[in-house]
Every structure is written in C-alpha cells, then in structure tokens.
Amino acid sequence: MSQRVALGEPLSLDDVERVALGAPVGLGDGARGRIRASRDVIERAVADGVTMYGVTTGFGALADTRIDPSQAATLQRGIVTSHATAVGPDLSRVEARAMLALRAHVLALGYSGVRVEVVERMVEMLNRDLIPAVPEQGSLGASGDLAPLACLALPLLGLGRILTGGGAEPAAGALARADLEPLELGAKEGLALVNGTQGMLAVGIIALARATRLLRTADVVAAMTIEAALGTDAAFDERLHALRPHPGQVASAANLRRLLADSPILESHRDSPHLVQDAYSLRCTPQVHGASRDTAEHVGCVLAIEANAVSDNPIVLDDGDVRTGGNFHGMPVAVALDALALSLVSLASISDRRLYRLLDATRSNGLPPFLVPESGLNSGFMLVQYTAASLVSECKSLAHPASVDSIPSSAGQEDHVSMGMTAARHARAVVDNAEVVLALEALGAAQALDLRAPLQTGPATRAAHDAIRERVPFVEHDRELGPDIAAAVELVRNGALAASAAPLA
C-alpha cells in the first residue's frame, strides 16, 4: 500500500498527485489540536453574539442580514445546498480525489473554525474511495470555486452523488452501505466547505503533472524526428546554450545531446554537403521546449504555494482574531494556468511542424511522400498531420486567457472574479491535445526512422522507437490508423515513451 499522506502538514504537488491516484491519507501530528483551537474561537463568538460574516450574517450581497445563532445549522446547510449549482461533465475521479484532499488539507491547517469531525469524515471518504461527483462548470473563481466545492460538500450531508465505476449514484445510498451517517453542520462549517480555490487547483495540479511528463516526452520525440530528417546536433552545443542560460532551454538541449549521442544516422551525414543549418522546428527545439519548461516550473511554484495556503473566509488567526479578507480569490492560480495553457500551444505547434517536414518530400531529405511506400496508391500519414494541425489550431483558441474575463456577480458585491476554473479546464484541454500531437509526431518519426534503414538510430532513440514498435507495426500499406494513434497516445500519457529513453532532465 502507498505511504499515507498527512493532511495538515506541508504538501508537495507529488503528494497531491499520489492521493489523487489512490494513496491513503490521515491527519498530521498537531492537526486536531489546531482544528479544535480555531473551533473554540467560533463557538465563543457565537455564544457571545458577535457579528461575524457567514456565521451570524448572510452571504455575499446578504452580508448585512443578521441571522440568529439558533439558526446556525439551517444557515450552514443552506449555503451548501443553494451553492451546489455546478453543471456539465463530472471531474474525473483523479481530479475529484485531489479536490477533496486539498479541501480537507485547508481545513486541517486549523484556520477555518470547523469541527474535527468534519475533516475526519473527509479523510474517511478518501480512504474508502467514496468520492463526490463534482460537475466542472459553474465557478467564477471568487469566492473561489463556490459551486463545485458545494457539490463536493453535498455528500457530507447525505446529498449529492458519489462516483461509481461507470458514473455516479445518489450519495445517500452509498453512505448507508458504508454505515456513515450524514453530518449536521454547525456554525461556519458550510461556509468553510465552499470557500476556496481547490477546484481549479485540483484540475491544475493534475494537468501540470501531465504537462511535466509531456515535456520530457517532447524532447524524446523531437530527437527521433531530428535523426529521421537527417538533422544535425550542432545547434545543441553546450557552449551555445551556456550563452543564453534559461534553465528550461539548457535542460532541453542537454536532453537532446544525450538522446542523439552515438547516432549512426547523424554521423552518416555530419561531413556531407547538406543544409548548412536546419529549419527552426528542428534547430530551435530547445528554445521552444525550454520556454514551456520554464513556464511549467513557475506554475508549479504557484500551485505549491496555493496547495498549502489558507483560502477560506473568514479566517481564524493564531491570536484568536477572526478576519474577513480575499484569500479565496483565484487570480494567482488563474493567471498561472493561463500561462501553462499558452506555453503548451508552442510545444504542440512545433511538434506539428516537425511532423509536417517529415511528410513533405521537398523538405525531408529523401523520405517518400507522406512516409509510405508506393505513395499515391497509399496516402500514408497525410491525415495524421491533418489531425495534428486541427488540434494545434484548437489549442490556439483554448489559450485565450480566461483570467482577463472578469464578470460581476452577487448584486455587485463580488464584482471582480478570476475565472480560474475555466483557466484550469482550458489548460487541461490543451494538455489533452498536446499529448495527442506529440504522439502523432512519434508515429511519424518511428515510420521515418524505419525508412532510413539500413542507417541506425542512437541507443536512446532506438529504445523509444522500439517502445512504439512493440505496440504499432510499420505502415506498409494504408490501414485503419485509429488503433495505432490510440496506442501511441497511451505511451505518451502514461510516460512510458519518455521512460524508454530515460534518464531525462
């Protein structure tokens, strides 16, 4: 069994991904004490009749409406049920697990004023894989991901839906089979469950993990194409990149040098009178891949801060003071995920351009048109590149920044929002598309390398080529390519293609 991840203690993005993939969780040392201390502050404030947003008042534009403390349970249940308006497809189980873990972690930090029982129930649901079904649309990203978080909270009350193997079922039945009674929320607890950025954060963390794997894969696929196109490794000279030392560029260039080392194909034409320098899509691979790498690194820093941040409102401070603020606003996450999406468009675009060069007999240095024997009778990889081009174009539309599109809500009280969940969903969609584009290039590169026989590839790219050939045979004549594409996409998404040529930076 995977090692337990402690909530309420510092979480890494790897920790979040492990929980998302099924690792067990528990409350860290000291978490219960912190939770109880902040809960005591809330209960004293209610007993003393203190006016406190969301505890003895309404919400949003109704913050000036006073609520009698005797109606606390009704108020808190009502905020969950009334805010659970999310629509659209459900988040994946992986994303919903990450979201539940992240919200439980925020509460376990001890600044939200909830009871220990609430957090323990969330921990138990994670460990028993009772994962709420959370529709992914409907969040403005401030006050955080209200509608998705409310849907996440519904099963705590015996409402909403729980994910199953093939869909979702009413939570009431799933909890009854698990012998779990619905919770009755106390003062502030409903508000604490719905205020925060954990929807956009969960989707963003999983998308970033996939993007990070894809960035390593992209260097492998590019190296295969450079060999197949009879390119040169001269542009990856370490001395060149030391003069422009962006970390991602340096890392990508180092990967390409290692991946192309001892390549008989490269050696076969090193001294021949071919092109003085390669096209940008080959020569500038480290610069383009490197920019995406550096952006992903920055996004990782932002998401790591957010994963361990208190994004609730109001917040119970260490000295017992209770302050309202704007920590729920998703702008830091929204801007970062917009940047991730934008940077990956270039990764997909340059991949499509490399694939295009392999298919064009006027640019491929001797490969047959569309990488197939008897071209004309056979169309070969012609439509493979069409698909890549279509996905790249779609990525360009998805890269429009969601974070610039604020729209007011709640009678003008919430008059500037982040649209962070939209940014996260767009980033995820760009990752989806970019993975496919790189898989399509990998198929073309493997085909082209076979067509270069008897010239041989270097050891690293040969391993990547062989990983593809274990699943996808050489295309001798036109055939249905859908299964080939699906197999290549799986190799890219699960990291197996990159691992075949490991280690990589």
Side-chain angles (χ1 to χ4, degrees):
M1 180 175 289
S2 300
Q3 184 177 0
R4 189 186 77 160
V5 173
L7 304 182
E9 302 294 331
L11 285 183
S12 69
L13 298 186
D14 286 342
D15 289 334
V16 176
E17 187 182 14
R18 288 203 301 116
V19 175
L21 295 173
V25 299
L27 290 179
D29 296 340
R32 287 178 175 83
R34 294 193 302 271
I35 296 169
R36 290 191 178 104
S38 68
R39 182 63 189 172
D40 288 345
V41 173
I42 296 298
E43 291 183 349
R44 285 197 304 270
V46 172
D48 293 342
V50 175
T51 299
M52 185 180 298
Y53 171 72
V55 179
T56 56
T57 75
F59 308 106
L62 301 175
D64 294 332
T65 303
R66 176 76 181 186
I67 306 298
D68 190 277
S70 65
Q71 297 178 297
T74 301
L75 179 69
Q76 298 305 314
R77 181 183 179 88
I79 190 175
V80 174
T81 56
S82 69
H83 283 49
T85 59
V87 297
D90 291 331
L91 296 180
S92 69
R93 180 177 293 273
V94 169
E95 291 167 331
R97 281 188 62 89
M99 187 177 177
L100 183 58
L102 287 163
R103 195 61 203 165
H105 174 62
V106 170
L107 302 182
L109 293 174
Y111 295 92
S112 296
V114 302
R115 290 168 297 154
V116 171
E117 291 82 355
V118 173
V119 190
E120 288 178 333
R121 173 60 59 85
M122 298 168 82
V123 167
E124 185 169 11
M125 290 175 68
L126 279 164
N127 288 338
R128 298 176 70 171
D129 207 29
L130 295 168
I131 306 304
V134 181
E136 65 178 33
Q137 293 175 283
S139 172
L140 294 174
S143 302
D145 296 311
L146 288 172
L149 279 168
C151 291
L152 185 83
L154 282 175
L156 298 174
L157 313 182
L159 304 173
R161 298 172 299 132
I162 294 289
L163 292 175
T164 62
E169 65 171 316
L175 294 177
R177 290 196 303 273
D179 294 322
L180 294 177
E181 292 290 332
L183 297 177
E184 181 174 314
L185 300 179
K188 193 183 179 296
E189 290 179 335
L191 183 60
L193 288 167
V194 304
N195 248 322
T197 59
Q198 285 66 50
M200 66 182 82
L201 185 57
V203 175
I205 288 173
I206 301 305
L208 177 64
R210 292 170 58 192
T212 301
R213 287 191 290 273
L214 182 62
L215 285 162
R216 288 191 286 270
T217 303
D219 286 344
V220 175
V221 176
M224 294 171 67
T225 297
I226 290 164
E227 280 186 306
L230 299 186
T232 175
D233 59 358
F236 312 136
D237 190 306
E238 185 174 8
R239 295 167 297 177
L240 284 175
H241 295 278
L243 297 174
R244 197 195 192 197
H246 293 291
Q249 175 181 327
V250 169
S252 181
N255 280 341
L256 289 168
R257 288 195 300 274
R258 192 192 69 76
L259 289 161
L260 295 169
D262 303 318
S263 168
I265 290 183
L266 260 62
E267 291 303 321
S268 72
H269 61 89
R270 192 174 296 281
D271 298 320
S272 64
H274 80 304
L275 294 175
V276 175
Q277 54 185 11
D278 292 329
Y280 287 1
S281 59
L282 306 180
R283 189 186 354 149
C284 299
T285 291
Q287 288 80 2
V288 176
H289 288 194
S292 299
R293 283 171 167 265
D294 288 341
T295 301
E297 183 72 21
H298 166 70
V299 173
C301 292
V302 172
L303 299 189
I305 291 171
E306 190 70 14
N308 293 288
V310 180
S311 55
D312 205 346
N313 184 58
I315 291 171
V316 182
L317 300 175
D318 288 330
D319 60 5
D321 195 8
V322 180
R323 289 297 173 108
T324 62
N327 277 6
F328 49 67
H329 202 289
M331 192 56 71
V333 177
V335 171
L337 293 177
D338 277 340
L340 179 65
L342 186 151
S343 74
L344 294 176
V345 176
S346 296
L347 191 79
S349 178
I350 197 172
S351 173
D352 167 69
R353 292 299 84 199
R354 289 191 299 257
L355 174 61
Y356 183 92
R357 296 193 72 81
L358 292 179
L359 272 58
D360 185 348
T362 66
R363 293 176 170 83
S364 66
N365 289 321
L367 292 170
F370 303 107
L371 298 179
V372 65
E374 296 185 86
S375 51
L377 175 63
N378 295 290
S379 296
F381 283 69
M382 181 189 295
L383 268 291
V384 169
Q385 189 272 325
Y386 280 34
T387 299
S390 171
L391 294 177
V392 170
S393 183
E394 182 176 295
C395 285
K396 294 173 185 177
S397 297
L398 289 165
H400 173 78
S403 59
V404 303
D405 190 24
S406 178
I407 189 168
S409 59
S410 193
Q413 175 74 2
E414 298 169 6
D415 58 354
H416 187 279
V417 297
S418 75
M419 303 308 297
M421 189 62 156
T422 303
R425 290 170 46 232
H426 284 183
R428 177 225 281 154
V430 172
V431 173
D432 285 342
N433 288 346
E435 287 170 335
V436 177
V437 173
L438 264 297
L440 297 175
E441 184 193 353
L443 287 175
Q447 180 82 359
L449 288 171
D450 285 334
L451 291 167
R452 291 296 185 191
L455 292 174
Q456 295 294 311
T457 66
T461 50
R462 185 179 311 127
H465 168 275
D466 291 348
I468 295 169
R469 283 289 171 258
E470 288 175 6
R471 302 283 302 277
V472 179
F474 178 79
V475 178
E476 188 71 41
H477 304 286
D478 280 352
R479 64 169 187 255
E480 181 188 0
L481 293 177
D484 298 353
I485 293 169
V489 170
E490 183 181 358
L491 289 172
V492 169
R493 285 194 170 143
N494 65 20
L497 188 59
S500 69
L504 295 169

